Amino acid sequence: MKIAVIGGGSIGLLFAAYLQTRFDVLLYTRTIEQADEINKTGITVHRGVESFKVNVVAKPLMDRFPNINLAIVAVKQYQLESILSQLDGIPNVLFLQNGMGHLKLFEKLSGCNIFVGSVEHGAFREGPAIVSHNGIGATKAAVVKGDGELLNELAAISSTDFQFLIEEDYYMMLASKLSANAVINPLTAILRVPNGELITNPYFEKMLEDLFTEVVDILGFKDKARQLKYVKDICKKTAENRSSMLKDIESGRMTEVDAILGYLLEQAGDMGKGVPLITAFYHMIKGIEWGQGGNT
Amino acid sequence: MKIAVIGGGSIGLLFAAYLQTRFDVLLYTRTIEQADEINKTGITVHRGVESFKVNVVAKPLMDRFPNINLAIVAVKQYQLESILSQLDGIPNVLFLQNGMGHLKLFEKLSGCNIFVGSVEHGAFREGPAIVSHNGIGATKAAVVKGDGELLNELAAISSTDFQFLIEEDYYMMLASKLSANAVINPLTAILRVPNGELITNPYFEKMLEDLFTEVVDILGFKDKARQLKYVKDICKKTAENRSSMLKDIESGRMTEVDAILGYLLEQAGDMGKGVPLITAFYHMIKGIEWGQGGNT
């Protein structure tokens, strides 16, 4: 199987390195410099005290894709639209974005089997060709449109350190992850606390529950109590972690707020629902980005 | 006229120093050490490049009040209840607290003429006996209960640098200040920005307007647009300032959130109104205090 991994961030590097051990991988990066570096040194993966190196062929994104069976898209959602036209015609495409805003873009892709994935690995990009695999999880994946044959193939021969698990319901898979992201990311980013404080501080926990109520009301979970437990369990399991949105804010980077809260605001608008807390956190995060010049 | 100023914070020091130049003032402080220091050195007032020193008699708060005509109460609202019983029997009492939560305590004071004031001076306590008068404003004051004769006397002989202005409607006077405090303080404290950013950042300005809408809805202003302009004008005039709540949060001190948002939450509860944003900011500020051990 010939796979193109698109995006040289932490997730792109991780996927390219692991999949290269079983498949024929091409990694597409935004800059020529990063592609050159990877072609020279390979990708180094740090995992606990061990580390290993994999030779991967990298190319800059401006190049056309050759004949490939599967494209794995690991760019941020706000970078997605600019590469969408390049994807049309590839037989199978797996999207790894957070949130659900990208779902509406899929109608522009005719003729591809479309899959979405939810990555539960911890990964941190230490350099242009170095990634730290600091949390071994799995990638959940589900079919959105077309034939899932290739996804089954991927799952069947995935390694234990880099598993693919097939999910039946893509909507609930993404909605479940979004419900956690939509609560944990904005709260930790505004309060500037690690994830665990959202459940150990009784006032923040009340805040989490109020924001969660607005979020699940839009996403339409049947068992809201179970979903709340799922979100709180993530806070517990990742208690020491600083969320990706908090890290983005602290580093003055653009956040994924549009993919996360922006999507929910749109849905709420379509449903005619007032969502004062989602609106407030959206404005606060956008305002911080604006102040940093990240979104002018 | 014999005046007792109660509280040795920035406002207490400022009032004691200015009023001593025209009246007979006793300053009551929480600690014996501060009273000793003031008795030894007097109070030094820094005002721009000048400074002056006034000899004031200071006593610790545990002492009983002698025969005085007026008590000016300049402690934080959350310290008010502990000294309330000492005030009963004083013929005139002027309260300078922020917020409106203290209004309900007045029923415990029988037989006093009760006044409330809204201090528009900028003051900063530089030491136990040193205060910087860094913004020359005025003290607005109004009668809540009883005879306002003494307040008129105070206004009549106040100096231009330390004016008293008599207001007719104590409720609107306090409500107007509270509407500004309830919006500017929590937003700047959570976003950790100076006051001006609430109107120069378009996302924060939207946030300010949404929170303002909940606040004025409780306080019952007739002309909401004019009141919003008043709040935004304060942001403009004090653009470089960090609000008192932001300074409290940054220094790990307890804030006045109960007097400000706590009061509004109570009122909203009585009126049966849902106030999601006031609730959210209340929980966030209380949670930060809790995390700092300021309110356990």
Side-chain angles (χ1 to χ4, degrees):
Chain A
M1 197 194 310
K2 218 167 172 167
I3 300 178
V5 173
I6 301 167
S10 58
I11 297 297
L13 290 173
L14 194 74
F15 272 66
Y18 275 98
L19 294 175
Q20 175 64 38
T21 62
R22 314 232 163 175
F23 305 100
D24 192 7
V25 171
L26 276 171
L27 174 62
Y28 287 82
T29 62
R30 196 171 49 80
T31 65
I32 299 177
E33 291 72 19
Q34 189 183 8
D36 286 348
E37 174 89 11
I38 291 167
N39 287 325
K40 212 184 322 172
T41 67
I43 297 173
T44 302
V45 180
H46 293 149
R47 194 172 62 192
V49 290
E50 345 161 50
S51 78
F52 60 92
K53 189 174 263 196
V54 186
N55 288 321
V56 173
V57 177
K59 287 169 178 281
L61 240 177
M62 63 195 79
D63 284 14
R64 300 221 63 193
F65 301 130
N67 276 345
I68 52 172
N69 305 100
L70 168 68
I72 298 180
V73 186
V75 300
K76 298 281 186 194
Q77 165 154 344
Y78 51 79
Q79 300 162 330
L80 201 51
E81 274 194 89
S82 65
I83 63 154
L84 210 66
S85 61
Q86 286 175 267
L87 299 174
D88 208 6
I90 297 173
N92 299 280
V93 187
L94 168 61
F95 291 90
L96 299 179
Q97 286 64 39
N98 272 323
M100 300 174 79
H102 53 309
L103 293 178
K104 68 171 183 285
L105 300 173
F106 296 165
E107 58 200 34
K108 294 184 188 166
L109 297 177
S110 54
C112 316
N113 296 316
I114 295 179
F115 318 130
V116 288
S118 164
V119 180
E120 297 179 349
H121 292 282
F124 177 73
R125 194 180 109 148
E126 294 184 4
I130 309 171
V131 62
S132 159
H133 190 187
N134 49 23
I136 294 177
T139 302
K140 290 181 178 165
V143 178
V144 177
K145 199 177 86 173
D147 179 347
E149 187 48 41
L150 189 131
L151 209 53
N152 293 331
E153 213 177 302
L154 199 65
I157 54 170
S158 65
S159 67
T160 47
D161 287 342
F162 202 72
Q163 268 194 306
F164 284 82
L165 304 171
I166 308 295
E167 295 273 325
E168 282 308 305
D169 185 337
Y170 81 89
Y171 181 90
M172 289 317 291
M173 180 187 88
L174 291 185
S176 181
K177 189 170 187 194
L178 177 56
S179 76
N181 275 329
V183 169
I184 298 171
N185 268 306
L187 281 176
T188 52
I190 291 298
L191 295 167
R192 312 212 173 196
V193 295
N195 298 352
E197 277 198 36
L198 299 184
I199 51 168
T200 55
N201 182 314
Y203 295 101
F204 294 166
E205 188 177 23
K206 185 69 185 53
M207 185 70 242
L208 176 149
E209 290 170 3
D210 288 349
L211 181 56
F212 173 84
T213 301
E214 283 189 6
V215 170
V216 289
D217 216 35
I218 294 168
L219 293 174
F221 290 94
K222 283 194 195 93
D223 192 340
K224 292 180 184 178
R226 193 177 143 215
Q227 194 60 26
L228 178 59
K229 189 178 173 303
Y230 165 78
V231 174
K232 288 190 179 180
D233 279 350
I234 293 179
C235 293
K236 198 189 275 177
K237 271 188 226 152
T238 62
E240 306 294 321
N241 291 12
R242 299 176 91 72
S243 75
S244 60
M245 196 174 279
L246 172 56
K247 284 191 274 188
D248 287 341
I249 289 281
E250 286 177 331
S251 315
R253 285 191 300 262
M254 198 170 162
T255 72
E256 290 191 276
V257 70
D258 276 305
I260 297 172
L261 297 184
Y263 170 79
L264 292 171
L265 275 181
E266 256 182 51
Q267 295 300 107
D270 291 348
M271 296 159 104
K273 281 192 184 175
V275 282
L277 297 181
I278 293 175
T279 308
F281 280 94
Y282 181 77
H283 284 140
M284 288 195 278
I285 302 281
K286 291 295 275 188
I288 293 172
E289 286 183 350
W290 189 92
Q292 290 168 338
N295 195 26
T296 46
Chain B
M1 196 193 314
K2 216 165 173 169
I3 299 178
V5 172
I6 302 167
S10 59
I11 297 297
L13 290 173
L14 194 73
F15 273 67
Y18 275 97
L19 294 175
Q20 175 64 38
T21 63
R22 315 234 162 173
F23 305 100
D24 191 6
V25 171
L26 274 172
L27 174 62
Y28 286 81
T29 62
R30 197 172 48 81
T31 65
I32 298 174
E33 289 73 19
Q34 189 183 7
D36 286 348
E37 175 87 11
I38 291 167
N39 287 325
K40 212 184 318 168
T41 66
I43 296 173
T44 301
V45 180
H46 293 150
R47 195 173 61 190
V49 289
E50 347 161 49
S51 78
F52 58 93
K53 188 174 263 195
V54 186
N55 287 321
V56 174
V57 178
K59 288 168 177 281
L61 239 178
M62 65 195 78
D63 284 15
R64 301 221 63 194
F65 300 129
N67 277 346
I68 53 173
N69 304 98
L70 169 67
I72 297 179
V73 185
V75 300
K76 297 281 186 194
Q77 165 155 344
Y78 50 80
Q79 300 162 328
L80 201 52
E81 275 196 87
S82 64
I83 63 154
L84 209 65
S85 61
Q86 286 174 268
L87 300 174
D88 208 5
I90 297 174
N92 298 282
V93 187
L94 169 60
F95 290 91
L96 299 179
Q97 286 65 39
N98 272 324
M100 299 174 80
H102 53 308
L103 293 177
K104 67 171 185 286
L105 299 173
F106 296 165
E107 58 200 34
K108 294 185 186 162
L109 296 178
S110 53
C112 315
N113 296 316
I114 296 179
F115 319 130
V116 288
S118 164
V119 180
E120 296 179 349
H121 292 281
F124 177 73
R125 194 181 109 147
E126 294 184 4
I130 309 170
V131 63
S132 159
H133 189 186
N134 48 24
I136 294 179
T139 302
K140 291 181 178 165
V143 178
V144 177
K145 199 178 86 176
D147 180 346
E149 187 47 42
L150 189 131
L151 208 53
N152 292 333
E153 211 177 304
L154 199 66
I157 54 171
S158 65
S159 69
T160 46
D161 287 342
F162 202 72
Q163 269 195 304
F164 284 82
L165 304 171
I166 307 296
E167 295 274 324
E168 284 306 306
D169 185 338
Y170 81 90
Y171 181 89
M172 289 317 292
M173 180 187 89
L174 291 185
S176 182
K177 188 168 189 198
L178 177 57
S179 76
N181 274 329
V183 169
I184 298 171
N185 268 306
L187 281 176
T188 53
I190 291 298
L191 294 167
R192 312 211 174 199
V193 295
N195 298 353
E197 278 198 36
L198 298 185
I199 52 168
T200 55
N201 183 313
Y203 295 100
F204 293 165
E205 188 177 23
K206 185 69 185 54
M207 184 71 242
L208 177 150
E209 290 170 3
D210 289 348
L211 182 55
F212 173 83
T213 301
E214 282 189 7
V215 170
V216 288
D217 215 36
I218 293 169
L219 293 174
F221 289 94
K222 282 193 196 94
D223 192 341
K224 290 180 185 179
R226 193 177 144 213
Q227 193 61 26
L228 178 59
K229 189 178 174 301
Y230 164 79
V231 173
K232 287 190 180 179
D233 280 350
I234 293 179
C235 293
K236 199 188 277 178
K237 272 187 226 153
T238 62
E240 305 294 320
N241 291 11
R242 299 177 90 73
S243 75
S244 60
M245 196 175 279
L246 172 56
K247 284 192 273 189
D248 286 341
I249 289 282
E250 286 178 331
S251 317
R253 286 191 300 262
M254 197 170 163
T255 73
E256 290 192 278
V257 70
D258 277 305
I260 298 172
L261 298 183
Y263 171 79
L264 292 170
L265 275 181
E266 255 182 51
Q267 296 299 107
D270 290 350
M271 296 159 104
K273 281 193 183 173
V275 283
L277 297 181
I278 294 174
T279 309
F281 280 95
Y282 181 77
H283 283 140
M284 288 194 279
I285 302 281
K286 292 294 276 188
I288 293 172
E289 287 183 348
W290 189 91
Q292 290 169 337
N295 195 26
T296 47

